Amino acid sequence: MSKTMTIAIDGPAASGKSTLAKNLAEDLGYLYFDTGVMYRAITLVALERGIDVEDEEACTALAESVRIDIEPPSEERRLYDVLIDGDDKTWEIRESDVDANVSVVAACPGVRHALTRQQRRIGLSGDVVMVGRDIGTVVMPDADIKLYLDASVEERARRRFIDMLAQGEEVELEDVLASMRMRDQLDSGRDVAPLKPADDAIVLDSDKKSEEEVLEEVKRLVEENQVEPS
Ligand code: CDP
């Protein structure tokens, strides 16, 4: 059997991971898989059902029972459709109350255990560009290429603020910045699978580069790393 390629892209919120991964996957003909969607989906269901996001047992039960499907986009403005138990929740998982709570849910060991298992199965099914916080460190430690995309918190908050305005959300830049700082702290400080570059990751700073520049740089890295199937 020929070897499949895995490209892992980790990094903090709004560092440009998703755009890079989507473009890279399109260019290479690989599957694009954004693992953050799964943590967001569980958080949305917890909020909708009035479940306390700090209740580890209840959140773990959700992660073990809720069905999350990621399908090709049904609208041009989307990267993919997200179905939760069959219902389209693609926009809802991006709302600010999910943003504000997702890192608490993602710190729950039971939730991570259930979702990591599913992510690994998808990751091993073919050539894939996989995005998240712990792909290179925990989910796919044998990935062929590991990237860690970073940018300053101010620049990342500015990008997220512009996205939210474009989607008609009424938000203040300083609130977005505060929420991003909080999420960074929770993601980097948690005991299980904290956000950090893998020892063998290539760290890229997207503050000083355009989307195109980052994409070209990564495509060069992929070409250099391309190994003949054994
Ligand atoms: O799009 P953005 O970078 O804001 O966030 P995301 O990638 O959708 O991830 C949302 C949250 O899920 C993160 O802040 C993490 O708390 C969590 N997450 C995680 O813990 N591990 C992953 N592999 C992916 C996301």
Side-chain angles (χ1 to χ4, degrees):
M1 205 170 76
S2 67
K3 186 185 178 307
T4 58
M5 278 287 287
T6 304
I7 301 176
I9 307 181
D10 291 302
S15 56
K17 304 181 302 279
S18 305
T19 314
L20 167 66
K22 180 200 158 255
N23 291 334
L24 188 63
E26 246 169 40
D27 283 3
L28 298 172
Y30 289 11
L31 174 74
Y32 163 48
F33 179 26
D34 181 353
T35 59
V37 161
M38 298 183 114
Y39 292 95
R40 288 176 177 275
I42 301 304
T43 306
L44 178 68
V45 177
L47 294 173
E48 282 178 347
R49 296 190 190 169
I51 291 170
D52 178 1
V53 292
E54 310 247 3
D55 182 340
E56 297 198 351
E57 209 174 306
C59 288
T60 301
L62 283 186
E64 286 170 350
S65 61
V66 168
R67 185 186 164 103
I68 306 164
D69 291 302
I70 303 167
E71 297 191 343
S74 58
E75 288 178 27
E76 238 180 66
R77 296 180 305 151
R78 296 180 173 185
L79 301 182
Y80 40 68
D81 285 2
V82 179
L83 307 184
I84 302 180
D85 286 333
D87 294 331
D88 189 321
K89 299 283 185 180
T90 312
W91 292 128
E92 287 85 343
I93 62 163
R94 297 281 155 198
E95 283 173 0
S96 49
D97 51 347
V98 174
D99 265 2
N101 288 284
V102 63
S103 292
V104 175
V105 173
C108 168
V111 170
R112 299 205 74 82
H113 182 74
L115 298 188
T116 297
R117 217 176 36 213
Q118 293 190 45
Q119 291 163 10
R120 216 167 262 152
R121 184 173 43 77
I122 298 170
L124 291 170
S125 65
D127 295 326
V128 67
V129 182
M130 230 165 141
V131 183
R133 300 289 188 286
D134 60 342
I135 308 304
T137 51
V138 175
V139 182
M140 303 296 280
D142 295 329
D144 301 274
I145 298 177
K146 297 181 188 178
L147 303 170
Y148 186 91
L149 196 57
D150 214 345
S152 68
V153 69
E154 290 80 11
E155 171 61 18
R156 292 187 286 114
R158 196 187 60 82
R159 292 176 190 166
R160 185 54 48 93
F161 175 65
I162 291 169
D163 284 353
M164 288 174 132
L165 289 188
Q167 280 178 27
E169 280 213 49
E170 284 180 26
V171 282
E172 298 291 335
L173 178 58
E174 59 189 78
D175 294 337
V176 179
L177 179 61
S179 152
M180 194 152 289
R181 283 211 165 98
M182 170 73 77
R183 197 135 68 90
D184 282 356
Q185 226 168 42
L186 285 167
D187 288 348
S188 306
R190 68 183 174 221
D191 290 336
V192 189
L195 168 68
K196 63 171 183 195
D199 290 340
D200 50 350
I202 300 162
V203 179
L204 301 169
D205 186 343
S206 77
D207 251 4
K208 305 170 194 93
K209 293 183 188 121
S210 70
E211 273 171 22
E212 292 74 23
E213 282 173 319
V214 176
L215 178 64
E216 286 315 312
E217 189 173 343
V218 171
K219 275 164 64 178
R220 271 198 304 277
L221 288 169
V222 173
E223 268 168 35
E224 285 164 16
N225 276 270
Q226 211 87 27
V227 277
E228 287 302 313
S230 49

